[in-house]
Amino acid sequence: MRLIDQDGNQLGIMSAKEAYKIALERHIDLVKIAPQANPPVCKLMDFGKYRYEQSKKEKESKKKQKVINIKEIRMTPAIEEHDFGVKVKSAMKFLKDGDKVKVTIRFRGREASHTNLAEELLNRFAKSLEEYGNVEKAPNMEGRNLMMILAPKNV
């Protein structure tokens, strides 16, 4: 097997017993890096320290990730103007915080026959928030609900 020391220097090709003896002398671990290679490649390293450093790198990369939540705003097609403004303000806050916003219009009874009014309402909602977010998913019907998803612009 080919042996590599802790600094990355090649120690040459030797038997497994010789490599193991060197590892015992230096009080470190013998780790197979590429067992399918010809000859197999092994490295002398402190495996516990290596695993610790890997976990530290993993934790550091997880810290840098930002979790994007989806906030939902529900309305009815017959929403009043002031209520509409309140919903727009809350959606604006969500988009500023970097969250996606799912806008849902729920239909009850005969309201379902007026989907065109609800689509106009969603388009007006998107237009009032266009400086804070983009329409990620255009309005579409899902059962008795008309939905649209807005994503923040800075993401």
Side-chain angles (χ1 to χ4, degrees):
M1 66 177 49
R2 185 178 304 274
L3 189 65
I4 301 172
D5 69 356
Q6 289 170 301
D7 305 322
N9 302 323
Q10 288 199 20
L11 300 177
I13 297 173
M14 57 186 68
S15 71
K17 285 183 180 178
E18 290 174 45
Y20 185 66
K21 188 186 273 186
I22 292 172
L24 286 176
E25 287 171 6
R26 296 186 184 184
H27 302 290
I28 51 178
D29 301 313
L30 180 65
V31 181
K32 269 191 182 177
I33 295 176
Q36 65 274 22
N38 190 14
V41 180
C42 292
K43 187 171 184 178
L44 297 171
M45 66 169 76
D46 186 352
F47 194 66
K49 182 179 176 184
Y50 172 76
R51 283 184 31 212
Y52 171 73
E53 287 172 354
Q54 289 297 102
S55 68
K56 263 180 91 171
K57 284 180 190 175
E58 204 172 286
K59 284 179 187 174
E60 193 66 34
S61 68
K62 282 184 181 179
K63 282 182 187 176
K64 292 177 184 174
Q65 291 177 350
K66 186 181 185 321
V67 177
I68 296 176
N69 296 323
I70 297 181
K71 305 283 188 173
E72 184 172 13
I73 293 180
R74 290 183 178 167
M75 299 186 284
T76 60
I79 191 168
E80 292 295 320
E81 196 57 41
H82 179 265
D83 297 334
F84 180 79
V86 170
K87 301 282 186 182
V88 167
K89 278 186 182 175
S90 61
M92 192 182 305
K93 180 180 169 284
F94 295 148
L95 289 170
K96 281 182 182 176
D97 292 343
D99 297 326
K100 290 184 179 182
V101 178
K102 178 180 177 180
V103 187
T104 307
I105 296 183
R106 305 180 96 199
F107 295 103
R108 294 187 309 257
R110 289 179 287 183
E111 290 176 345
S113 61
H114 300 292
T115 56
N116 56 344
L117 296 174
E119 263 187 64
E120 288 173 18
L121 185 68
L122 282 180
N123 289 333
R124 199 174 87 193
F125 195 87
K127 192 165 223 58
S128 60
L129 290 170
E130 66 186 352
E131 62 187 75
Y132 300 102
N134 302 322
V135 176
E136 186 177 272
K137 190 174 178 189
N140 70 319
M141 284 293 289
E142 284 188 9
R144 295 183 79 64
N145 300 329
L146 185 67
M147 310 180 1
M148 172 178 74
I149 296 179
L150 299 167
K153 265 201 173 159
N154 57 355
V155 172

